[in-house]
């Protein structure tokens, strides 16, 4: 079974630009969560999509948005980039069944975004 | 609010045992996870606790005390490859099953 894939792996943008990151979950997984990881703040939850609907949202500004397609692939968009948006963006997939079991999340390798 | 604390760095010797602590404060509790993350790689799942007590999985064990808001990850027979960051994450009752709140991580360095 293929793992979670993210594209691109590395990206360099300048302030004010926008960026779109892509995540393909494990086959059969319907939930995709996005996280931002920075050395100072650690891993912070951005949002979760399940069956094409945003199910949960973290405390990030509206410049951060996402969507999910019918095949469960998800995209994340950041508009009007700021220097502080430089980070590793990780997506994680899970079955999202809603069971009260562990519902383990499997992480992708991440997209490292650098904003100059 | 929600807050998760774990030590920033730890060092240990190959073959030894190390315990990484995690304390948390959340508005409701619905499970605690430990992840391992090697430099430049994605986090990988290590353990999950939702009830008090010890969960053992090979060389790794994880303990939870919900009344104390406390967990630890125990690594036995340390190997050089265990040098990594260890992330403690908590799932609250509100926000759904996939909204994990992570601690900043503990960087473990294993020396020969």
């Amino acid at each position: 079974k293929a793992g979670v894939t993210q594209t691109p792996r590395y990206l360099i943008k300048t302030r004010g630009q926008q960026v779109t990151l892509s995540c393909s979950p494990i086959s059969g997984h319907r939930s995709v969560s996005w996280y931002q990881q920075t050395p100072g703040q650690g891993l912070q939850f951005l949002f979760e999509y399940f069956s094409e609907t945003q199910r949960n949202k973290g405390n990030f500004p509206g410049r951060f948005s996402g969507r999910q397609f019918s095949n469960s692939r998800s995209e994340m968009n950041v508009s009007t980039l700021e220097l502080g948006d430089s980070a590793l963006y990780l997506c994680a997939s899970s079955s999202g069944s809603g069971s009260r079991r562990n519902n383990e999340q499997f992480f992708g390798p991440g997209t490292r975004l650098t904003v100059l | 609010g929600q807050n998760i604390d774990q030590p920033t760095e730890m060092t240990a010797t190959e073959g030894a045992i190390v315990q990484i602590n995690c304390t948390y404060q959340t508005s409701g509790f619905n499970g605690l996870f430990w992840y391992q993350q090697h430099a430049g790689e994605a986090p990988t799942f290590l353990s999950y606790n939702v009830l008090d007590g010890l969960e053992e999985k090979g060389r790794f064990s994880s303990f939870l005390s919900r009344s104390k808001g406390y967990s630890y990850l125990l690594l036995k027979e340390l190997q050089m490859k265990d040098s990594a960051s260890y992330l403690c994450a908590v799932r609250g009752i509100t926000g759904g099953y996939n909204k994990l709140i992570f601690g900043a991580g503990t960087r473990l360095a294993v020396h020969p």
Side-chain angles (χ1 to χ4, degrees), chain B residues 53-73:
Chain B
L54 189 68
E55 293 280 342
E56 297 186 79
K57 194 191 272 190
R59 295 188 299 114
F60 292 12
S61 304
S62 57
F63 171 83
L64 175 68
S65 169
R66 288 172 296 171
S67 62
K68 294 181 180 176
Y70 168 69
S71 172
Y72 67 73
L73 180 70

Side-chain angles (χ1 to χ4, degrees), chain A residues 27-111:
Chain A
S27 177
H29 282 187
R30 295 164 64 190
S31 167
V32 174
S33 299
W34 287 89
Y35 294 86
Q36 180 195 66
Q37 186 173 34
T38 58
Q41 298 294 320
L43 262 165
Q44 295 189 81
F45 176 81
L46 280 155
F47 30 65
E48 182 211 6
Y49 286 85
F50 179 81
S51 292
E52 303 178 64
T53 301
Q54 187 180 86
R55 189 160 71 167
N56 295 294
K57 191 175 188 305
N59 298 320
F60 278 79
R63 299 186 297 108
F64 292 81
S65 63
R67 59 178 176 168
Q68 187 179 34
F69 301 95
S70 58
N71 61 358
S72 294
R73 189 177 71 85
S74 177
E75 287 183 347
M76 191 192 99
N77 184 276
V78 188
S79 63
T80 320
L81 283 167
E82 300 177 359
L83 295 179
D85 297 333
S86 293
L88 179 67
Y89 290 88
L90 292 159
C91 82
S93 83
S94 71
S95 63
S97 64
S99 160
R100 286 188 173 268
R101 289 296 299 162
N102 58 4
N103 205 11
E104 177 187 344
Q105 294 187 47
F106 297 84
F107 282 85
T111 295

Side-chain angles (χ1 to χ4, degrees), chain B residues 13-32:
Chain B
T13 306
E14 194 175 14
I17 298 173
V18 72
Q19 178 175 310
I20 303 174
N21 296 323
C22 171
T23 57
Y24 64 89
Q25 292 174 310
T26 62
S27 52
F29 176 82
N30 194 19
L32 186 142

Side-chain angles (χ1 to χ4, degrees), chain B residues 28-106:
Chain B
F29 176 82
N30 194 19
L32 186 142
F33 297 76
W34 283 96
Y35 280 83
Q36 180 192 60
Q37 187 177 26
H38 285 99
E41 297 182 11
T44 55
F45 171 81
L46 288 178
S47 70
Y48 168 76
N49 296 70
V50 68
L51 299 176
D52 290 351
L54 189 68
E55 293 280 342
E56 297 186 79
K57 194 191 272 190
R59 295 188 299 114
F60 292 12
S61 304
S62 57
F63 171 83
L64 175 68
S65 169
R66 288 172 296 171
S67 62
K68 294 181 180 176
Y70 168 69
S71 172
Y72 67 73
L73 180 70
L74 194 71
L75 293 75
K76 303 175 187 173
E77 300 168 18
L78 280 171
Q79 302 175 10
M80 298 297 290
K81 67 178 182 179
D82 297 329
S83 293
S85 284
Y86 291 86
L87 309 174
C88 171
V90 172
R91 181 167 67 196
I93 289 178
T94 59
Y97 297 110
N98 290 318
K99 182 176 180 177
L100 297 185
I101 307 301
F102 281 84
T106 299

